[in-house]
Amino acid sequence: MVKKRACIFISGKGSNLNSLIKRSRDNSFPIKINLIISNKVNAEGLNYAKKFSIPFIIIDTSKKNYEIKILNEISKRNISIICLAGYMKILSKRFIRQFKRPILNIHPSLLPKFKGINTYKRIIEKKERITGCTVHFVNEYLDSGKIILKKSFEIKDSDNERSLKIKTQIMEHKSYPEAIIRLFKNINF
Ligand code: GAR
């Protein structure tokens, strides 16, 4: 199988990055991670880039035209899919239009519920009975692109923001690779 060249965008811990790296070492997994981009110089997730010798770039988002720089780096490396994995910066419409290829994101709620930030806090406050995670295409509206996969679990009375985060992320680490496999079964690009 010829793997597609992928770039993962991160801002923080990188636990989803780690699960994608591990899965991508499997011959039958459809992507190879050729580049990691972080908008935070001290993102913990960069340690996975170093550990697995994957090229990484730290982007200074205070600089004008930083997205052009990202697009150049991505095109130099022939990247054909971007996976946002805890990248806490919104991509511009222009970036999405110019990349032209799939951009995926993972979000810690059952979209379209709880788009945006502070997800767990709002889920607890709203006394939801069920939650989970969603992998979706990125379009120009926040957390609104076509959904590829959702997984859910029941919220217990004893759950709090911390326990929800732990349970959701365990689910995310399975869901992101599964969504990528599902995507490649259905489309050719
Ligand atoms: C993940 O839980 C992801 O769903 C969330 O950030 C976390 C990153 O964790 N993303 C968003 O909230 C995007 N709106 P990680 O760095 O350990 O993968």
Side-chain angles (χ1 to χ4, degrees):
M1 157 191 256
V2 181
K3 287 173 177 259
K4 296 285 178 188
R5 298 170 63 82
C7 175
I8 316 294
F9 285 37
I10 60 164
S11 301
K13 215 171 101 205
S15 65
N16 279 288
L17 167 67
N18 187 32
S19 85
L20 289 174
I21 293 173
K22 288 195 168 142
R23 286 302 298 271
S24 67
R25 295 162 94 201
D26 183 344
N27 279 340
S28 65
F29 194 68
I31 64 167
K32 176 172 193 298
I33 299 170
N34 292 89
L35 182 63
I36 293 163
I37 285 183
S38 170
N39 65 324
K40 299 277 178 205
V41 66
N42 45 12
E44 247 183 87
L46 288 171
N47 291 325
Y48 295 114
K50 293 170 194 157
K51 180 174 168 191
F52 295 101
S53 306
I54 300 170
F56 65 91
I57 296 171
I58 296 157
I59 293 288
D60 180 354
T61 54
S62 70
K63 293 257 159 65
K64 218 178 137 209
N65 291 339
Y66 75 88
E67 284 192 336
I68 308 272
K69 182 172 179 206
I70 301 180
L71 283 166
N72 286 340
E73 295 291 346
I74 276 173
S75 112
K76 258 198 266 170
R77 290 173 170 83
N78 246 322
I79 297 296
S80 51
I81 182 169
I82 291 174
C83 301
L84 309 182
Y87 181 66
M88 303 310 269
K89 190 96 195 149
I90 292 170
L91 296 172
S92 72
K93 290 177 187 156
R94 196 162 146 221
F95 181 97
I96 296 165
R97 244 181 276 129
Q98 289 195 4
F99 180 59
K100 292 193 188 85
R101 286 166 168 219
I103 304 177
L104 311 188
N105 181 41
I106 188 152
H107 186 76
S109 76
L110 296 172
L111 289 174
K113 283 183 151 187
F114 304 101
K115 297 175 182 178
I117 57 170
N118 297 324
T119 323
Y120 305 113
K121 184 167 184 282
R122 290 184 289 136
I123 291 169
I124 295 284
E125 278 169 3
K126 277 264 181 184
K127 301 194 186 318
E128 292 292 303
R129 298 321 309 165
I130 184 161
T131 189
C133 64
T134 307
V135 182
H136 65 96
F137 287 103
V138 172
N139 67 8
E140 52 193 79
Y141 303 102
L142 180 69
D143 298 330
S144 297
K146 192 173 174 224
I147 290 169
I148 301 166
L149 180 146
K150 278 201 250 197
K151 273 189 195 287
S152 62
F153 64 91
E154 261 179 48
I155 301 177
K156 301 220 166 78
D157 290 339
S158 57
D159 274 321
N160 53 31
E161 280 180 48
R162 193 170 168 270
S163 66
L164 274 197
K165 182 174 177 181
I166 293 168
K167 291 179 186 177
T168 304
Q169 290 198 332
I170 289 171
M171 198 160 258
E172 286 187 338
H173 301 156
K174 295 203 179 90
S175 302
Y176 217 162
E178 205 174 307
I180 290 170
I181 291 170
R182 191 176 287 188
L183 170 70
F184 281 87
K185 277 196 182 135
N186 291 320
I187 63 165
N188 252 326
F189 62 91

